[in-house]
Amino acid sequence: MAEKKIPYKIYLEEKELPKQWYNVRADMKNKPAPLLNPATLEPMQFEDLRPVFCDELVKQELDDTTPYFDIPKEILDFYKMYRPSPLVRAYFLEEALDTPAKIYYKFEGNNTSGSHKLNSAIAQAYYAKKQGLKGVTTETGAGQWGTALSMACAFFDLDCQVYMVKVSYEQKPFRREVMRTYGGTVTPSPSNKTEVGRKILKEFPGTTGSLGCAISEAVEAATTQEGYRYVLGSVLSQVLLHQTVIGLETKTALEKYGIKPDIIIGCAGGGSNLGGLISPFMGEKLRGEQDYRIIAVEPASCPSFTRGKFVYDFCDTGNVCPLAKMYTLGNGFIPSANHAGGLRYHGMSSILSQLYHDGLIEATSVEQTEVFEAATKFARVEGILPAPESSHAIKVAMDEALKCKETGEEKTIVFGLTGTGYFDMVAYEKFNDGVMSDHIPTDEELKKGFATIPNIPGLNQ
Amino acid sequence: MAEKKIPYKIYLEEKELPKQWYNVRADMKNKPAPLLNPATLEPMQFEDLRPVFCDELVKQELDDTTPYFDIPKEILDFYKMYRPSPLVRAYFLEEALDTPAKIYYKFEGNNTSGSHKLNSAIAQAYYAKKQGLKGVTTETGAGQWGTALSMACAFFDLDCQVYMVKVSYEQKPFRREVMRTYGGTVTPSPSNKTEVGRKILKEFPGTTGSLGCAISEAVEAATTQEGYRYVLGSVLSQVLLHQTVIGLETKTALEKYGIKPDIIIGCAGGGSNLGGLISPFMGEKLRGEQDYRIIAVEPASCPSFTRGKFVYDFCDTGNVCPLAKMYTLGNGFIPSANHAGGLRYHGMSSILSQLYHDGLIEATSVEQTEVFEAATKFARVEGILPAPESSHAIKVAMDEALKCKETGEEKTIVFGLTGTGYFDMVAYEKFNDGVMSDHIPTDEELKKGFATIPNIPGLNQ
């Protein structure tokens, strides 16, 4: 290869790091629908939410007009330990695909949590500490969020109680051990520690748990212990706000080299990484300053955008959380047992749901075998072993680059590489052994999920 | 904390990356003793070594006068995917220790192999490819080296055959799976694939293997297959040469900010990381331009520097490799079963052995429980979950920083953080559960190891 004008990795300088998060809701004409109190169907107010979340986070959650929030100095200092994350020019992938497209990825995996989750975990832990709390509770599925939160809590000397989906707890003992190393307490969910857990265990004695069920337990644990609050790693608007540090860095890095992306691609589970990556670009799009193609990629086995309904649904299986208007497969939907990676949440961020509903985002779904094929190809040429979640974005980025090869277009593609797959080797092993399978839910299966969407008079009409 | 003059992480720009490796032997008055042919006791020549190693690597191995070797463009390009590695100012660790010392660490863990090993793996794979070989063979213990080599071979489309110490193969299935994902073939050692493996299995049917035994198998596999050569991840002078990219980057980064280290600390197994980190500083020391305290840290359970003998010994258990003059515990020495991390090789790099013998390096040993205590403390304040190997250096860096607290000295301490501990959670679990134990070999145990040092007339007199 000849000498490159644009480096393999663009690292911002410390002084170029964002000092504020960007709240994309401020620029949305059609605001995301508010969270509703399931009893009254009235929008949740500050006082309704503060028993569950820290005060500052409730303010962020409810504020859809303030465009920027200052990042507190303590959080900025922590960010400096692992940020800026590199924006990588995928020269070797371009060469391997023989494409005229220019591919960039924002790599969020260079921290011990292995993903972007730490960006919000440290913010939520900071506000909990500032409020004088003893600790926080949360749920975790694959374990990235629980790890991130344990790290953040260790840093601020907060107690961290993690309810980990039982099947992950058993299959991912190493993730559990990382959390313990950071001082977190990890409980397999459903557990006997909470009322909702005991109820679920009684009803489904052999259950291996679900994210929605772990959320219910964590919320109960937060609201029944003095000095505790609940924190969530995705879906919520506050989380998307914190994750905008990804998109802001990306935009600054691209602008330093005068690069305008044509297509921006991210995987979508609850939506925090995608929302964080695209927010500043979406802001320009909403203000009519610039246009971008934005693609959300979800697993075919958990297709909330592409096959879900845009309605009010509970955020959790136990129905203890507020109702959110979002694309959802129903709070009782559980992806098929052969689904290997994350991105298994039944719903999608209200912000992204509204943007998708308004035609500002595209969505597509991919099957896991093709995702692991893309992941393996990527690993071999770009060195990084990607998380299965991130590999959904890789797959579609590669597809778009190959389309450019056909048309000869030199499009600039940016995708979010949210994390590493070091704790996902059981899934890689299945793929390497040729025993990984795909599952696209049948209409019948989806119907069962949709049946769990609340049928409350006056709602979802 | 107040605003910092020196950033949390110093990243060199791409154009500041070293273009040459530095060969410290060129500046050594007392050269490391040559490798000997065990049959003739004559120094190994180019023609003796080329059936085992690639031609270019043999040249590098035997050259103790050329001070600099150009890094080929293909290797430089690969380096740009994961280098420069950050030189981190440990502000949070300093604060936690309440020390006036200034602590820096060079972090080599931000790549999928999880360690510095990739620096030499890509070089060795490149030379093998350039020579038109089909593939390479190697051994791996904890698996970092095997992973690094698999990544490098995938990049250059070379076959990669890894003999993995059986106990690690069984206890670290995820490491094995990473290698497979990169296309490597992993065989538990001792195996039935080689003559030496069959012989060892016959003699010790229940053996779980050792590094020295896996080396013997890999060498045999290389020399009995057409178009294959053997590659090694540490100990050899060629490997130390490639690893000087660590020290060269560190020196450039420090000089950019006008920083002179007082103490440089690295963990030492075979010596490649330590040798790579200290080489450019040692060069100044050897030329009388600057003085530095340099400390090698080894496990008390495998104390080649602090309790070994400086004699000629075989590099492998099967005694198929040349003899090297080094600090050694005897090629039959195997660390006690409760030893958790790497750094388990019986000998030490000939270069470092000579430097230690000449009083230019200090050495100290630490026990693993205190190492994991330091690792956990470090993880909680600096965010990174360190490899057990790297944590040996952390422990001593913290001790030196605490001495500064007592004396009030503002010393500058630099240590090598060679990698991450993501695949070492079984060891962390033992520590978290409070069931980790220490083992200092008794004199009797050491005697047994020393008895395996060859007693050849004319040698070691």
Side-chain angles (χ1 to χ4, degrees):
Chain A
M1 280 188 210
E3 207 56 58
K4 309 295 184 198
K5 277 187 196 161
I6 293 165
Y8 285 67
K9 294 192 264 60
I10 306 176
Y11 275 112
L12 298 181
E13 287 177 49
E14 211 169 273
K15 60 181 185 228
E16 295 171 307
L17 287 178
K19 309 266 185 307
Q20 297 182 308
W21 295 302
Y22 166 63
N23 182 11
V24 71
R25 288 170 291 174
D27 283 310
M28 289 170 72
K29 266 181 223 157
N30 299 327
K31 306 284 183 192
L35 295 171
L36 296 188
N37 182 325
T40 63
L41 300 192
E42 290 295 317
M44 298 291 282
Q45 305 294 332
F46 182 74
E47 289 302 329
D48 300 322
L49 287 170
R50 58 185 304 217
V52 180
F53 300 114
C54 302
D55 293 357
E56 279 300 320
L57 293 166
V58 175
K59 283 184 204 160
Q60 294 177 358
E61 190 64 33
L62 297 177
D63 188 335
D64 58 11
T65 54
T66 306
Y68 288 97
F69 285 84
D70 286 343
I71 306 175
K73 168 126 188 28
E74 290 82 352
I75 299 174
L76 276 179
D77 281 347
F78 188 90
Y79 278 171
K80 287 175 192 166
M81 283 207 292
Y82 71 101
R83 307 201 68 83
S85 70
L87 180 70
V88 185
R89 173 71 183 268
Y91 283 119
F92 290 115
L93 182 62
E94 291 170 18
E95 194 179 66
L97 298 175
D98 189 21
T99 174
K102 294 170 177 61
I103 309 174
Y104 294 84
Y105 53 90
K106 180 69 169 169
F107 180 43
E108 291 289 318
N110 273 350
N111 70 73
T112 293
S113 83
S115 81
H116 65 293
K117 298 278 184 182
L118 196 53
N119 300 329
S120 183
I122 192 63
Q124 299 195 48
Y126 167 75
Y127 291 117
K129 186 71 183 182
K130 203 182 153 203
Q131 197 173 320
L133 298 175
K134 283 185 208 158
V136 291
T137 71
T138 198
E139 77 295 329
T140 200
Q144 289 180 334
W145 168 246
T147 309
L149 190 68
S150 301
M151 291 174 67
C153 286
F155 190 77
F156 286 124
D157 199 21
L158 275 173
D159 186 34
C160 179
Q161 302 177 355
V162 182
Y163 287 83
M164 187 170 186
V165 178
K166 193 178 275 176
V167 61
S168 294
Y169 182 90
E170 283 160 4
Q171 287 183 359
K172 299 201 168 186
F174 293 173
R175 273 277 186 211
R176 181 189 74 207
E177 223 44 58
V178 177
M179 291 184 250
R180 286 184 68 206
T181 301
Y182 282 91
T185 311
V186 191
T187 305
S189 165
S191 77
N192 275 313
K193 281 191 181 174
T194 65
E195 205 169 304
V196 64
R198 287 188 292 271
K199 193 179 145 202
I200 293 167
L201 278 175
K202 201 173 164 189
E203 203 169 336
F204 311 98
T207 181
T208 54
S210 76
L211 209 49
C213 154
I215 293 176
S216 305
E217 286 207 87
V219 171
E220 183 184 322
T223 49
T224 52
Q225 291 176 93
E226 182 72 28
Y228 280 77
R229 290 295 185 281
Y230 168 69
V231 296
L232 182 65
S234 190
V235 185
L236 295 174
S237 299
Q238 59 186 270
V239 181
L240 262 71
L241 177 74
H242 307 145
Q243 294 296 355
T244 59
V245 70
I246 304 172
L248 292 162
E249 279 186 14
T250 302
K251 201 153 177 295
T252 306
L254 289 170
E255 282 168 1
K256 262 183 100 158
Y257 289 88
I259 306 158
K260 278 272 169 216
D262 297 296
I263 311 175
I264 304 170
I265 301 167
C267 61
S272 76
N273 132 69
L274 180 69
L277 174 65
I278 67 168
S279 275
F281 300 96
M282 182 57 76
E284 290 188 317
K285 192 165 168 163
L286 288 163
R287 296 189 302 269
E289 297 163 9
Q290 189 76 34
D291 198 21
Y292 303 100
R293 246 188 98 194
I294 293 172
I295 309 176
V297 190
E298 58 185 15
S301 52
C302 193
S304 48
F305 263 150
T306 50
R307 297 177 71 195
K309 293 187 177 181
F310 187 43
V311 293
Y312 267 106
D313 191 12
F314 284 102
C315 295
D316 66 320
T317 312
N319 298 1
V320 304
C321 289
L323 294 159
K325 188 165 183 192
M326 56 185 178
Y327 280 85
T328 176
L329 298 163
N331 63 73
F333 179 84
I334 294 177
S336 100
N338 75 351
H339 175 88
L343 310 180
R344 49 171 62 241
Y345 186 64
H346 65 274
M348 184 62 69
S349 140
S350 288
I351 294 176
L352 293 183
S353 291
Q354 186 63 49
L355 292 169
Y356 179 61
H357 188 69
D358 292 342
L360 293 156
I361 297 178
E362 301 168 35
T364 186
S365 73
V366 287
E367 295 180 47
Q368 66 180 358
T369 306
E370 58 183 355
V371 165
F372 276 83
E373 274 164 18
T376 302
K377 173 144 200 171
F378 180 84
R380 292 184 185 189
V381 298
E382 286 287 322
I384 297 166
L385 185 83
E389 294 85 343
S390 326
S391 305
H392 288 70
I394 294 176
K395 164 65 183 154
V396 172
M398 283 168 65
D399 286 348
E400 290 295 330
L402 289 173
K403 281 185 206 162
C404 288
K405 186 181 173 181
E406 280 178 34
T407 61
E409 288 172 290
E410 287 190 28
K411 284 188 184 165
T412 296
I413 300 168
V414 174
F415 72 89
L417 188 70
T418 54
T420 50
Y422 307 147
F423 291 92
D424 299 287
M425 295 319 296
V426 171
Y428 272 97
E429 184 172 12
K430 271 192 191 144
F431 177 74
N432 292 336
D433 288 343
V435 297
M436 175 166 278
S437 57
D438 294 314
H439 180 73
I440 302 177
T442 61
D443 288 341
E444 209 51 47
E445 285 167 332
L446 287 188
K447 243 186 215 169
K448 279 187 198 164
F450 291 145
T452 63
I453 294 171
N455 187 8
I456 303 173
L459 194 77
N460 295 337
Q461 308 289 308
Chain B
M1 282 185 204
E3 208 53 59
K4 309 294 185 199
K5 277 187 197 160
I6 293 167
Y8 284 68
K9 292 191 267 62
I10 306 176
Y11 275 112
L12 298 181
E13 288 176 50
E14 214 169 89
K15 60 181 185 228
E16 295 171 307
L17 287 178
K19 308 266 184 306
Q20 298 182 308
W21 296 301
Y22 167 62
N23 183 10
V24 71
R25 287 170 292 173
D27 283 310
M28 289 170 71
K29 266 181 222 156
N30 300 327
K31 305 284 182 194
L35 295 171
L36 296 188
N37 182 325
T40 63
L41 300 191
E42 291 296 317
M44 298 292 281
Q45 305 294 332
F46 181 74
E47 290 301 329
D48 300 323
L49 286 170
R50 59 185 303 216
V52 181
F53 299 114
C54 302
D55 293 357
E56 279 301 320
L57 293 166
V58 174
K59 283 184 204 160
Q60 293 177 359
E61 190 65 34
L62 296 177
D63 189 334
D64 59 8
T65 54
T66 306
Y68 288 96
F69 286 83
D70 285 343
I71 306 176
K73 167 125 188 29
E74 290 82 352
I75 299 173
L76 276 178
D77 281 346
F78 188 91
Y79 278 172
K80 287 174 191 167
M81 282 208 292
Y82 70 101
R83 308 202 66 83
S85 70
L87 180 70
V88 185
R89 174 72 184 268
Y91 284 119
F92 291 115
L93 182 62
E94 292 170 18
E95 194 178 68
L97 297 174
D98 189 22
T99 174
K102 294 170 177 59
I103 309 174
Y104 293 84
Y105 54 91
K106 180 70 169 169
F107 179 43
E108 291 289 317
N110 273 350
N111 70 73
T112 293
S113 82
S115 81
H116 66 293
K117 298 278 184 182
L118 195 53
N119 301 329
S120 183
I122 192 63
Q124 299 194 47
Y126 167 76
Y127 290 118
K129 185 72 182 178
K130 203 182 153 202
Q131 197 172 321
L133 298 175
K134 283 184 208 159
V136 291
T137 71
T138 198
E139 76 295 328
T140 200
Q144 289 179 334
W145 168 245
T147 309
L149 191 68
S150 302
M151 291 175 67
C153 287
F155 190 77
F156 286 124
D157 199 22
L158 276 173
D159 186 35
C160 179
Q161 302 178 353
V162 182
Y163 288 83
M164 188 170 187
V165 178
K166 191 177 275 175
V167 60
S168 294
Y169 181 90
E170 284 159 4
Q171 287 182 358
K172 299 201 167 186
F174 293 172
R175 273 278 185 210
R176 182 189 73 207
E177 222 44 57
V178 178
M179 290 183 252
R180 286 184 68 206
T181 300
Y182 282 91
T185 311
V186 191
T187 305
S189 166
S191 77
N192 275 312
K193 282 191 180 173
T194 65
E195 204 169 305
V196 63
R198 289 188 291 271
K199 193 179 146 203
I200 293 168
L201 278 175
K202 199 171 165 191
E203 204 169 336
F204 310 99
T207 181
T208 54
S210 75
L211 210 50
C213 155
I215 294 176
S216 305
E217 286 206 87
V219 171
E220 183 184 320
T223 49
T224 53
Q225 290 176 95
E226 184 71 29
Y228 280 76
R229 291 294 185 282
Y230 168 70
V231 298
L232 183 66
S234 189
V235 184
L236 295 174
S237 299
Q238 57 186 270
V239 182
L240 262 72
L241 177 72
H242 307 146
Q243 295 295 355
T244 59
V245 69
I246 305 172
L248 292 162
E249 277 186 16
T250 303
K251 201 153 176 296
T252 305
L254 289 170
E255 282 168 0
K256 262 183 102 159
Y257 289 87
I259 306 158
K260 277 275 169 216
D262 297 296
I263 311 175
I264 304 169
I265 300 167
C267 62
S272 76
N273 134 69
L274 180 70
L277 173 66
I278 68 168
S279 274
F281 300 97
M282 182 56 77
E284 290 187 316
K285 191 165 169 166
L286 288 163
R287 296 189 301 268
E289 296 162 9
Q290 189 76 34
D291 198 20
Y292 303 101
R293 246 188 97 194
I294 293 172
I295 309 175
V297 190
E298 59 185 14
S301 51
C302 192
S304 49
F305 263 149
T306 50
R307 297 176 73 194
K309 293 187 176 180
F310 187 43
V311 294
Y312 266 106
D313 191 11
F314 284 102
C315 295
D316 66 321
T317 313
N319 296 1
V320 303
C321 288
L323 295 158
K325 189 166 182 191
M326 56 185 177
Y327 280 86
T328 176
L329 299 163
N331 63 72
F333 179 85
I334 294 177
S336 100
N338 75 350
H339 176 87
L343 310 180
R344 50 171 61 242
Y345 187 65
H346 65 275
M348 184 62 70
S349 140
S350 287
I351 294 175
L352 293 183
S353 291
Q354 188 63 49
L355 292 169
Y356 179 61
H357 188 70
D358 291 343
L360 293 156
I361 297 178
E362 301 169 35
T364 185
S365 73
V366 289
E367 295 180 47
Q368 66 180 358
T369 306
E370 58 183 354
V371 165
F372 275 84
E373 274 165 17
T376 302
K377 173 146 200 169
F378 180 83
R380 293 184 184 190
V381 297
E382 287 287 323
I384 297 166
L385 186 82
E389 296 84 344
S390 326
S391 305
H392 288 70
I394 295 175
K395 164 65 183 156
V396 172
M398 283 168 65
D399 286 349
E400 289 295 330
L402 289 172
K403 281 183 206 161
C404 287
K405 185 181 174 180
E406 279 177 33
T407 62
E409 288 172 289
E410 288 190 26
K411 284 189 185 164
T412 296
I413 300 168
V414 174
F415 71 89
L417 189 69
T418 55
T420 51
Y422 307 148
F423 292 92
D424 299 288
M425 296 318 296
V426 171
Y428 272 98
E429 184 173 13
K430 271 192 192 146
F431 177 74
N432 292 337
D433 288 342
V435 296
M436 176 166 277
S437 58
D438 294 314
H439 180 74
I440 302 177
T442 61
D443 288 341
E444 208 51 47
E445 285 166 332
L446 287 188
K447 243 185 216 168
K448 278 186 199 166
F450 292 145
T452 63
I453 294 171
N455 187 8
I456 303 173
L459 194 76
N460 295 336
Q461 307 290 309

